[in-house]
Amino acid sequence: MALFSAFQTTFLLALLSLKTYQSEVLSEPLSLAPESLEVSIDSARQCLHLQWSVHNLAYHQELKMVFQIEISRIKTSNVIWVENYSTTVKRNQVLRWSWESQLPLECAKHSVRMRGAVDDAQVPELRFWSNWTSWEEVDVQSSLGHDPLFVFPKDKLVEEGSNVTICYVSRSHQNNISCYLEGVRMHGEQLDPNVCVFHLKNVPFIRETGTNIYCKADRGDVIKGIVLFVSKVFEEPKDFSCETRDLKTLNCTWAPGSDAGLLTQLSQSYTLFESFSGKKTLCKHKSWCNWQVPPDSQEMHNFTLTAENYLRKRSVHLLFNLTHRVHPMAPFNVFVKNVSATNATMTWKVHSIGNYSTLLCQIELYGEGKVIQQNVSVKVNGKHLMKKLEPSTEYAAQVRCANANHFWKWSEWTRRNFTTAEAAPSEAPDVWRNVKSVQGHCVVTLFWKPLSKLQANGKILFYNVVLENLDRPSTLKLLSIPPPANGTELTLDQCSYQIRVTANNSVGTSPASIIAVSGDPGNKEVEEERVKGTEDGFCLSWKPQPGDVTGYVVEWCERPGDPLCDLQWKNLGPDTTSTVVSSDAFRPGVRYNFRIYGISTERIPYLLEKKTGYSQELVPSDNPQVLMSNLTSYSFTLSWKDYAAESQPGFVRGYSLYLKSKAARCLPGSEKAVLSDDSICCKYKIDNPKQKTFVVENLQPASFYEFFLTPYTSVGEGPQGAFTKVTTPDEYSHILIRVILPMIFSILLIMILCYLKSQWMKEKCYPDIPDPYKSSVLSLIKSKENPRLTIMNVKDCIPDAIEVINKQEGTRKSLTETEPTKPTYLYLLPTEKSHSGPGPCICFENFTYNQAASDSASCGHVPVTPKAQPQLGLLTSSENGPKALGKNYVNSLGEIPAGETNLNYVSQLASPMCGDKSSLPTNPPEPALCSEYKTQMAIPMGLASPPSITLLDEGEHDH
Amino acid sequence: LQFSLTAPLCLLTLLLLPLSLGAPISPAEPISQAYSLALYMQKNTSTLLQTYLQYQGSPFSDPGFSAPELQLSSLPPAAVSFKTWHALDDGERLGHAQGAFLALTQHLQLVGDDQRDLNPGSPILLAQLGAARLRAQGLLGNMAAIMTALGLPIPPEEDTLGVVAFGASAFERKCRGYVVTREYGHWTDRAVRDLALLKAKYPG
């Protein structure tokens, strides 16, 4: 109470004084001047802080005033700054104003003065300037100390791209000072003899630890410098956003701007301010902050996020209603209940977001590769019935919620997995059969395709096969076959059965698949047609069947040639007459056979058509083994009957026969073709694939040919193989063979005969010693004049002469020089016995032959020539004949040593020679003692011109 | 008494040192230890200086940077005329070194703090400065042992830095660190010479 009364008193006094003042002012204008001006320095920020007061104000008086402030540099006349500062002034209130200098304050002397004026509508008459205060001088240089050099500003912190002024203050006038920025010399302006100023424009960020700027004197080792800390531009926070999960706590997040680039000097701070509540919080984290919402606070919030560092302050604002920024919590207590084969119920709870708010919940159901999405409105408890589910299927259901009235964000999902119950299989199994007749029995192989997951509706436990004998309808047979078997083989006594196949799971039985087997296996002969396959499969079509057909089945093997051919089938409706059979198992070059069956109303399949084809034809894999026959001069025949055209990877359309010959032109029926090795040959095209022989005609006799046969499909020919060489025979050779062969045969026959009868022949034709009696000469003689004349008898021949040759050395003479020397002959006189015969026994020698025989130093028969030498004299036998020599040879030594007196024994062919063949000499004498055997023949006297014949000295003539 | 002790025995003696206070100890052994430590320190001083300069930017990191006239009033310079140095008696010699390494340990601590502020992202430099300080402290201990062995009074520990250290600008702190690391090298060199001389004088 006392306080209140004191305040009241003061107020009254102030009012009184104001009235007094107004009356004074009205009477005499009073200047209100700034007084007590003080100037201080903040070196770190390069600021001048001014403070002053206005004394002449009345108590409690508040006036709007404007103060004009002048700042001059170096000298007072150099005013660098004038500013009018308006403020409300009270009596004795200390007024403050600051000014930041671009130039470091240490670089120059600054002076400050000011004046004031009232700028108040209440007292318009006082609107004039007061007097200037005196200049207040600020001189930092004087207090610097005695160092020779200073550089300013110290440790300045600036943003990248700003302009900075640097100066040095030197105490020495003589020294030249040079200054460098990161080693690069700077050029400045001299402010006064001791001070130099450098203006750096658009300073770059170099490194986090600052930029060194230093100055040094020319003389001495003085280095002074500063570190200029250049930061990157401080950016404002981005993506500022707030949300709540429970309406009690707000979580605000933002992306801070890029790092200022300085490690310690520029720490950033983030402050969150809410203007309605006036609350403020300093955020501990760089990118998010939590804000507690007071329980009774208003829904509207106006947030200001202020990011601040030493140099800059950045703010972002956000105005929002709290309920519009609800990010609900994930649903909880989520259950899937009442799961049947097709339905399930999902229940969940949500955290309330206010008393009247509704949540929108989204349910997603994943199953069988599908997603079903549904939305439900929920207050607290959520419930959703999931219908049309597939039996025996795994599902995943998940739920999330958001504010239904003001959507902001979905909550996280809460997920549950469940599996629906099984149901009876929905479809009959797809069944097909293969019927064989084995030893009068019907062997039926049943095949069925496993039901798909959707059809099976659970795990198939077994397949039931019911056999009903159609002839005896009451007879049923049941087989139960567990999976994974997809078929069975049945041996039936006869082939008239109806077979029903069902699939069963734990819940029930599928519809039955019915197939009938008749006595006729339905494998009647049907013409096979060719189909052309494509990459997409085989397009098969068939003629529609008249009458009742309940459907068609196309059957094929995916692995033809394999005993387990992997039988496939395709069921088609009764109105279908074409289908495309495609399979990933189809391979190029493999022949696939398709059978198309019609299904009768009795469910009996019967074969309609057969198709065969390749999904992609290839060139033949191998060439036939070609046999050549009937080779003549003009033709030959080729055949390849063993070639398996069916097993080729394409339909063989025909054959190509390549024929190489030296002839430039191709024969009729062929055309020129170039082979892969660029050789040219003639090509015969055999269009008929069934033709397996070919006659190559019109060839040249005795010519060389090469041929090569290859099949071709629609794609091309078989592999290039080796050519077979053939040479046609000569035209006349067969004639020659007909002549020469018998001739050779005849000659051979004669030769064999001759050989067998050689003795006889020899005797007949050329005896060793001709029998004069058998000689033709004899007959000749006989026929002529002297019938008395007979052949000399051997015993009539008496050796009759021995010749002693006294030969002179060097008296060798040629045959032609016969006359000058006369050999000394011992003439042998004929004995009495020699006259006993019809004529004297005459021996003579053929010189001509003898010489040759002598030259060859061999002995031989000397044919007798009827010519006698004129000087031949009749040799008479001597009594001193060498008796020691018993042999009947005429010895003639090849060489007689000179000066020796040789005794040459010359014997007349004795009688054993004549006629007695057994005494023929079989051992000729040793070559060293080569004796010359002289055939002697008794010649009738009438034939020899001289009546006496002398045995010549051989040495005389031969040596 | 002079013993020729093997190294393990030497270590044992060191361990037993607190237990045998007052017992007369040969100066040769602490001299030898101090000498070994000084030699080891000498190997790393130039590396420390180069590492330091490399982190300070131009002109410090410029090749061949040298500013011999930069001195610190708080740190006694190692440079001394040979004649003066040679004429020092054991007490003066060890006293100078003792004083210098005491100042160096304190200055190295200061420089380490400065660099933690100026170059926080350079653990190598900070580690080397820390290691240098610890070695300087080790050498101080060794010298105290020598002085004890020689019967010399151990000078009291003083605060060599005073109160002037904190107002320095970043550039001044860089310069200060340069002078400290440089003088650390010079004083280590001088200590090696000092101890070599003492080693010769008091052979084991």
Side-chain angles (χ1 to χ4, degrees), chain B:
Chain B
L1 281 168
Q2 290 181 354
F3 299 104
S4 177
L5 291 169
T6 53
L9 273 177
C10 185
L11 192 67
L12 189 68
T13 317
L14 264 178
L15 289 169
L16 292 172
L17 194 64
L19 302 173
S20 56
L21 278 174
I25 306 164
S26 156
E29 183 193 310
I31 288 170
S32 176
Q33 284 177 4
Y35 180 67
S36 301
L37 179 59
L39 275 179
Y40 177 64
M41 284 160 70
Q42 200 178 26
K43 284 178 188 168
N44 295 303
T45 52
S46 69
T47 312
L48 174 67
L49 182 59
Q50 289 310 313
T51 310
Y52 178 83
L53 292 176
Q54 177 196 327
Y55 278 99
Q56 308 311 316
S58 180
F60 307 99
S61 59
D62 295 345
F65 170 78
S66 171
E69 287 183 23
L70 277 180
Q71 293 291 345
L72 283 175
S73 57
S74 51
L75 195 63
V80 65
S81 77
F82 180 75
K83 196 181 169 186
T84 314
W85 174 77
H86 207 262
L88 293 171
D89 61 27
D90 293 349
E92 287 169 330
R93 189 181 303 284
L94 286 164
H96 287 181
Q98 175 84 8
F101 277 95
L102 181 63
L104 278 170
T105 50
Q106 292 170 6
H107 279 81
L108 282 167
Q109 179 73 62
L110 177 69
V111 174
D113 291 353
D114 285 344
Q115 290 301 314
R116 193 163 284 114
D117 188 24
L118 294 170
N119 282 303
S122 52
I124 297 167
L125 172 63
L126 297 177
Q128 286 189 13
L129 285 168
R133 185 171 58 82
L134 286 174
R135 285 170 197 152
Q137 274 179 344
L139 195 63
L140 265 181
N142 283 347
M143 284 177 175
I146 298 168
M147 290 167 97
T148 310
L150 292 174
L152 295 167
I154 300 168
E157 282 206 6
E158 289 174 355
D159 180 8
T160 55
L161 285 166
V163 290
V164 293
F166 304 109
S169 73
F171 195 85
E172 284 163 354
R173 288 188 281 170
K174 288 181 177 185
C175 289
R176 184 163 70 192
Y178 160 66
V179 177
V180 171
T181 48
R182 185 193 67 197
E183 288 303 314
Y184 172 73
H186 290 172
W187 269 110
T188 306
D189 292 343
R190 185 169 157 180
V192 169
R193 296 289 302 274
D194 285 337
L195 292 163
L197 199 80
L198 287 171
K199 211 170 172 242
K201 197 170 172 184
Y202 301 99

Side-chain angles (χ1 to χ4, degrees), chain A residues 213-242:
Chain A
I213 294 164
Y214 65 96
C215 300
K216 62 179 184 182
D218 286 353
R219 281 174 283 170
D221 196 21
V222 180
I223 286 187
K224 288 282 176 153
I226 57 161
V227 179
L228 185 67
F229 293 100
V230 182
S231 81
K232 289 180 181 170
V233 177
F234 187 49
E235 294 175 341
E236 68 180 22
K238 295 180 184 72
D239 305 329
F240 178 44
S241 166
C242 296

Side-chain angles (χ1 to χ4, degrees), chain A residues 91-151:
Chain A
R91 181 187 164 87
N92 288 340
Q93 181 194 5
V94 177
L95 298 164
R96 289 188 173 86
W97 180 80
S98 292
W99 175 72
E100 188 183 342
S101 172
Q102 271 295 308
L103 182 76
L105 295 172
E106 294 89 346
C107 301
K109 190 169 73 182
H110 289 81
S111 300
V112 181
R113 68 173 183 175
M114 69 194 303
R115 58 183 178 176
V118 175
D119 183 24
D120 202 317
Q122 295 173 2
V123 278
E125 64 279 5
L126 288 179
R127 287 188 175 186
F128 58 88
W129 288 112
S130 71
N131 293 326
W132 285 105
T133 62
S134 59
W135 285 103
E136 284 295 320
E137 199 174 83
V138 184
D139 188 5
V140 193
Q141 272 186 27
S142 56
S143 60
L144 281 178
H146 303 288
D147 281 3
L149 187 64
F150 298 92
V151 184

Side-chain angles (χ1 to χ4, degrees), chain A residues 239 275 284 412 434 517 526 571 608 630 936:
Chain A
D239 305 329
S275 62
K284 291 176 188 168
E412 294 80 18
N434 186 26
V517 183
V526 175
N571 274 310
L608 296 178
N630 300 342
Q936 291 179 355

